Amino acid sequence: MGAAIEVNNLNAWYGSNHILHNIGISIPANQATALIGPSGCGKSTFVRCLNRMHETNPIARVSGSVRLGGIDLYSDMEPVAVRRRIGMVFQRPNPFPTMSIFENVASGLRLSGGLRRRQMEEICERSLRRAALWDEVKDIWKKRSGASLSGGQQQRLCIARALAIDPEVLLMDEPASALDPISTSKIEDLIFELKADYTIVIVTHNMQQAARVAEMTGFFLNGYLVEFDATTKIFTNPADKRTEDYITGRFG
Amino acid sequence: MGNVVISTPGMPLPSEKLFRKQTLVERLRKGDEAVHLLTMAGGWSIILITGLLVHHLWVYSRIARHQFGWHFLVTSTWDPVNGLFGAWPFVYGTVVTSLLALIIAIPIGLGAAIFLAELAPRSVSNALTFLIELLAAVPSVVYGLIGIFLLIPALTAIMPTFQKFFGWIPIFSGTFYGVSYFSASVILAIMVVPFIVSISREVLLAVPIAQREAMMALGATKWEVTWRTVVPYARQGIMGSVFLALARALGETMAVTMVIGNVAQVSTSLMAPGYTIAAVIANEFTEATGDLYLHALIELGLVLFAVTMIINALARLLMLSVRTGEVVS
């Protein structure tokens, strides 16, 4: 099951650059939440704060609180534990080229260890099915490298890899921006199905995509969360003038 | 409708000049051809030099080749006075010292490279890398002196204790006099570590951040990211650095001859003195009286060339087998 995320007063810096200002947002469980905004508005940094990836850069800094099901990710948990509960899919597919498709999906499971190979294969098969990739790879998944797949397949492989360790939240940082329209629509269909079991946060440049997949949408501008509301409300009757300007294409 | 129209009214046909075959001078002036010719000349010169080398080694070893045939490789007698020449002690010494040097150097070199690329602060890493690359520039005779005056006394001091516990193992048995396969291997290891470190560090640093983040996002610790993602991703480059180290070890002459003892014998024990191909050629070339002796030494050069080729080919085969499954689309 997915879990809700409660963010309060979140600030993030990159060196002396103040990137996120006092972000407060309640991301509902088992729904897809889209984050939109022009390039450089801080939406990617924001999702990277949710699984504590932002701080992996030596000059990056974060303050504020992020709660997952009531537990503070920053004061009560180790980063490694956070990332096992909050999975992430990146903009560009990044399978491990030296591993087979199976090994790619199993890579997260191997970190925790303690699984028999049979169990590992079952979990990996289930994850590949959930990521709608199983039918395309079932004959080659032990033999071929993860890098031998097409771009769209690679991205679904990365989704399967993230799902294998059974997180509660799935963060997707522009997961379809490097893909063709057919692969994109496959990923969108997938997001629809995954909502049943996971909380999904998706960063996107594509407003139609946000409208198609997400119940809630947040609009970021210059490091501030300008507006956060039901997707239909954001796209039909936004409360803020800047949101309206952005969705009607006046800038961005 | 059957005709394909390539020009619409109002659009001029491409000028005839574009279709005309260009002269050599015109093509050279554009640069592409010139660069093509120059780089091709560079490429062919490598093949030419290799061919000449093998040809000369082949021609000037003919007397020894005719006299001993394949027995040259497998006999152990090296008796210039009686005109008996066998290469086996030298081949054995060369292969044993080089492989043992790699066994010592790979863990040290790879460990240092991982530290410098993944763990050390960038300023420390750059400073240390500079020092390590400086080590690669030290003349081999200096390493030989270090071997004689530092390494051998140190080894002689600790070896009795070591042999008390491990002397029963055949490779560590027998009296240790200082000069030995083992001493030569340690010196060779010290000499090749800088190659492994500096090249491996570069390839580790070149691993894309996306690969690291992919593993990190699965909840991997820093060490897991390094060991499960970064090192496998860089393994081809790391193996390349090992090949270079191996080539260096196989051909090293001066430092080896100063610490190996220069005795043409084959011993199971690494504590015994021995000889290598490069060392015997260097030592005996000036005193080679008679054509047979000279040709035998040149045939040793041919054998060293073949040994290097075979070991490199085996290493490459190993690399191919490791790479299976990696299909780059």
Side-chain angles (χ1 to χ4, degrees):
Chain A
M1 277 305 280
I5 301 176
E6 197 73 40
V7 179
N8 272 307
N9 207 19
L10 186 80
N11 284 272
W13 292 264
Y14 197 82
S16 57
N17 214 345
H18 196 165
I19 294 174
L20 290 176
H21 301 263
N22 305 321
I23 307 292
I25 187 170
S26 296
I27 295 169
N30 293 95
Q31 292 190 0
T33 297
L35 304 177
I36 59 171
S39 296
C41 67
K43 56 194 191 304
S44 280
T45 305
F46 175 72
V47 291
R48 290 171 65 87
C49 287
L50 297 184
N51 68 342
R52 298 190 65 173
M53 285 291 279
H54 179 62
E55 71 199 50
T56 57
N57 190 302
I59 62 167
R61 207 153 53 81
V62 184
S63 81
S65 87
V66 178
R67 290 174 167 274
L68 174 71
I71 305 164
D72 193 309
L73 301 182
Y74 278 88
S75 57
D76 302 340
M77 272 175 99
E78 289 297 310
V80 167
V82 170
R83 292 176 204 139
R84 295 192 74 79
R85 295 180 62 179
I86 303 183
M88 190 166 197
V89 177
F90 296 84
Q91 184 173 3
R92 296 201 156 270
N94 52 2
F96 303 124
T98 57
M99 297 183 193
S100 68
I101 294 161
F102 163 64
E103 290 291 339
N104 261 280
V105 184
S107 53
L109 298 170
R110 287 199 191 284
L111 295 174
S112 41
L115 284 176
R116 289 169 191 282
R117 191 170 170 90
R118 186 77 216 117
Q119 293 172 297
M120 204 135 46
E121 285 173 1
E122 279 171 23
I123 295 171
C124 289
E125 182 183 330
R126 196 175 347 130
S127 304
L128 285 167
R129 282 184 193 279
R130 296 233 58 176
L133 188 60
W134 175 250
D135 290 335
E136 292 156 64
V137 302
K138 62 185 173 201
D139 299 324
I140 54 165
W141 73 318
K142 298 281 183 60
K143 289 176 291 210
R144 295 277 290 277
S145 154
S148 67
L149 300 172
S150 73
Q153 290 174 323
Q154 286 186 16
Q155 195 61 302
R156 279 177 283 148
L157 174 61
C158 293
I159 292 172
R161 183 173 68 188
L163 296 180
I165 54 173
D166 202 26
E168 290 146 67
V169 179
L170 196 58
L171 308 176
M172 302 177 114
D173 187 359
E174 300 186 37
S177 67
L179 305 180
D180 62 86
I182 293 168
S183 302
T184 301
S185 85
K186 281 186 181 164
I187 302 274
E188 288 179 7
D189 292 346
L190 203 55
I191 293 170
F192 240 90
E193 304 200 349
L194 293 174
K195 274 189 250 182
D197 296 307
Y198 306 92
T199 302
I200 290 172
V201 182
I202 175 171
V203 170
T204 180
H205 258 122
N206 181 332
M207 282 181 273
Q208 285 78 22
Q209 186 171 61
R212 280 193 297 265
V213 302
E215 282 83 6
M216 300 291 286
T217 297
F219 172 58
F220 279 77
L221 187 63
N222 299 329
Y224 292 90
L225 177 63
V226 173
E227 190 169 352
F228 180 58
D229 214 327
T231 302
T232 44
K233 173 94 166 43
I234 293 274
F235 283 105
T236 53
N237 186 21
D240 196 290
K241 179 80 171 62
R242 290 168 293 175
T243 314
E244 191 185 337
D245 285 348
Y246 182 69
I247 60 165
T248 53
R250 240 162 268 169
F251 71 91
Chain B
M1 288 300 280
N3 290 337
V4 179
V5 182
I6 55 166
S7 112
T8 50
M11 189 177 103
L13 279 166
S15 85
E16 203 179 311
K17 198 176 170 213
L18 282 174
F19 287 121
R20 184 167 55 82
K21 208 165 178 237
Q22 291 172 316
T23 65
L24 181 66
V25 178
E26 275 174 338
R27 280 183 286 143
L28 281 176
R29 283 236 308 269
K30 294 219 167 99
D32 277 3
E33 291 284 327
V35 170
H36 183 91
L37 286 173
L38 272 174
T39 49
M40 193 174 68
W44 278 106
S45 70
I46 293 168
I47 293 172
L48 185 73
I49 290 168
T50 314
L52 277 175
L53 187 72
V54 173
H55 175 257
H56 268 66
L57 289 173
W58 185 256
V59 169
Y60 290 100
S61 62
R62 64 184 181 282
I63 302 177
R65 280 190 289 110
H66 292 156
Q67 180 113 8
F68 306 111
W70 289 104
H71 285 286
F72 183 73
L73 290 176
V74 291
T75 52
S76 299
T77 317
W78 187 263
D79 185 356
V81 179
N82 294 311
L84 290 171
F85 298 98
W88 179 236
F90 312 109
V91 175
Y92 178 81
T94 302
V95 173
V96 165
T97 51
S98 297
L99 292 186
L100 183 57
L102 281 191
I103 290 170
I104 300 169
I106 289 172
I108 297 173
L110 189 55
I114 288 174
F115 173 75
L116 293 174
E118 299 286 308
L119 302 171
R122 188 48 65 91
S123 55
V124 176
S125 172
N126 286 340
L128 281 178
T129 305
F130 175 74
L131 279 181
I132 287 164
E133 280 164 8
L134 214 62
L135 281 183
V138 173
S140 55
V141 66
V142 176
Y143 281 106
L145 289 174
I146 292 171
I148 291 173
F149 292 110
L150 255 162
L151 178 72
I152 287 182
L155 286 177
T156 315
I158 59 169
M159 219 33 105
T161 324
F162 177 78
Q163 284 187 318
K164 212 182 285 172
F165 296 103
F166 299 104
W168 56 273
I169 305 172
I171 56 169
F172 296 129
S173 63
T175 317
F176 182 72
Y177 294 108
V179 288
S180 60
Y181 294 113
F182 187 72
S183 309
S185 304
V186 173
I187 282 293
L188 279 176
I190 295 169
M191 292 176 74
V192 301
V193 156
F195 290 87
I196 298 179
V197 176
S198 70
I199 298 173
S200 298
R201 172 183 173 266
E202 292 296 326
V203 289
L204 290 174
L205 286 176
V207 173
I209 185 98
Q211 286 286 314
R212 301 164 194 270
E213 291 196 332
M215 197 48 123
M216 232 186 284
L218 294 168
T221 61
K222 194 164 173 51
W223 170 246
E224 285 167 334
V225 171
T226 299
W227 191 245
R228 291 168 184 267
T229 311
V230 179
V231 172
Y233 193 93
R235 67 190 173 191
Q236 276 187 315
I238 293 171
M239 286 192 190
S241 78
V242 172
F243 290 160
L244 200 68
L246 180 64
R248 175 89 210 254
L250 286 169
E252 177 50 39
T253 311
M254 197 62 211
V256 172
T257 196
M258 289 165 82
V259 296
I260 200 168
N262 303 330
V263 181
Q265 63 177 25
V266 176
S267 307
T268 319
S269 173
L270 300 173
M271 303 296 137
Y275 223 153
T276 66
I277 298 174
V280 72
I281 295 174
N283 284 330
E284 301 195 2
F285 204 77
T286 47
E287 57 200 53
T289 48
D291 285 344
L292 181 63
Y293 195 178
L294 193 64
H295 280 229
L297 284 173
I298 292 172
E299 188 175 356
L300 276 181
L302 190 65
V303 171
L304 180 56
F305 190 87
V307 167
T308 312
M309 285 287 180
I310 290 166
I311 290 188
N312 262 303
L314 288 178
R316 252 159 232 284
L317 276 179
L318 183 84
M319 190 159 104
L320 276 181
S321 74
V322 170
R323 251 169 68 191
T324 336
E326 186 186 339
V327 191
V328 181
S329 54

